[in-house]
Amino acid sequence: MAKQEIRVTVNGREHRSEVEPRLLLVHYLRDVLGLTGTHIGCDTSQCGACTIIMDGQSVKSCTVFAVQADGSQITTIEGLAKDGQLHPLQEGFWEEHGLQCGFCTPGMIMSAYDLLQRNPDPTEAEIREALEGNLCRCTGYQNIVKAIQYAASRVREHEPVAAS
Ligand code: FES
Ligand code: FES
C-alpha cells in the first residue's frame, strides 16, 4: 500500500514520516518514534492505556490512524516532566501510591491531564467520570483518585497544568 507523508509535533518536537495508511497512531508513537510510555492494553478500544493528548483533547491513540494525526500537536506521557521535575500528576501518583503494576498509569495520567485542563478543581465524582474510559486491574481506583486530587491542589496552588 502506498505510504503517505505525515508531519506531527510530539512533545514539542516536529517529526516528518512516511507511513502506511493502516498504521495506528499508537504504533506510530511506539514503533516509529520509540515513545513506548504510551501502552497497548487491549484490542477493543476499552482499556485507555494508549491515551494521549491530541490538539488539546485526550484521545485513545489505538482508535486513530497515524495519517489522521497529520498536522496535529501531540503530548504523550514522556512530554509531561520538565527539566527533571515531575509533572504534578506524576508526583501525585508517586505520593499517593496511585499504581501497582503501572501498566494503566500513563493512560490514567493523560486522561487526568485532560480533566485538569478543563476543570482544575474537580469533585471526586467528576474525577471518576473522567476515568470511565481507563481500566485498572490492580488498584481499586481509590489511590488513583487521591493522586489526581493531590495534583489538582498542587496545580491550583503553584503552577499551570499545561505542558507544551
Ligand atoms: S489499547 Fe486499549 S483502549 Fe487503546
Ligand atoms: S496499576 Fe496495574 S493496571 Fe493499573
Side-chain angles (χ1 to χ4, degrees):
M1 198 174 290
K3 290 190 171 181
Q4 289 178 227
E5 185 178 87
I6 60 169
R7 182 178 50 80
V8 290
T9 302
V10 182
N11 302 330
R13 187 164 157 216
E14 187 177 288
H15 300 269
R16 286 173 189 267
S17 308
E18 298 262 323
V19 299
E20 289 194 12
R22 66 180 176 174
L23 184 71
L24 293 173
L25 180 57
V26 68
H27 291 303
Y28 176 71
L29 294 170
R30 289 176 55 85
D31 302 338
V32 179
L33 301 187
L35 296 171
T36 53
T38 300
H39 289 167
I40 302 170
C42 70
D43 54 13
T44 51
S45 304
Q46 285 180 317
C47 75
C50 61
T51 304
I52 53 137
I53 304 295
M54 186 163 109
D55 291 335
Q57 293 201 313
S58 62
V59 169
K60 291 180 175 178
S61 60
C62 73
T63 65
V64 179
F65 291 112
V67 291
Q68 292 175 293
D70 185 26
S72 67
Q73 300 271 344
I74 290 172
T75 304
T76 68
I77 188 72
E78 289 91 345
L80 292 195
K82 289 277 178 280
D83 303 323
Q85 292 285 316
L86 294 181
H87 186 278
L89 278 161
Q90 294 169 308
E91 194 183 302
F93 274 71
W94 173 275
E95 292 292 338
E96 300 291 346
H97 310 288
L99 60 125
Q100 288 180 25
C101 81
F103 196 85
C104 70
T105 311
M108 289 286 178
I109 288 179
M110 299 316 286
S111 290
Y113 178 91
D114 179 63
L115 169 67
L116 295 187
Q117 274 188 317
R118 290 182 281 109
N119 178 1
D121 191 12
T123 64
E124 178 174 342
E126 286 169 334
I127 292 172
R128 288 181 181 275
E129 190 183 343
L131 298 181
E132 264 181 3
N134 294 76
L135 301 180
C136 177
R137 63 187 175 182
C138 307
T139 64
Y141 299 92
Q142 191 60 38
N143 286 359
I144 292 176
V145 172
K146 282 191 202 161
I148 296 168
Q149 288 170 328
Y150 174 104
S153 62
R154 275 285 321 276
V155 166
R156 284 195 308 274
E157 283 165 21
H158 300 296
E159 44 201 303
V161 72
S164 60

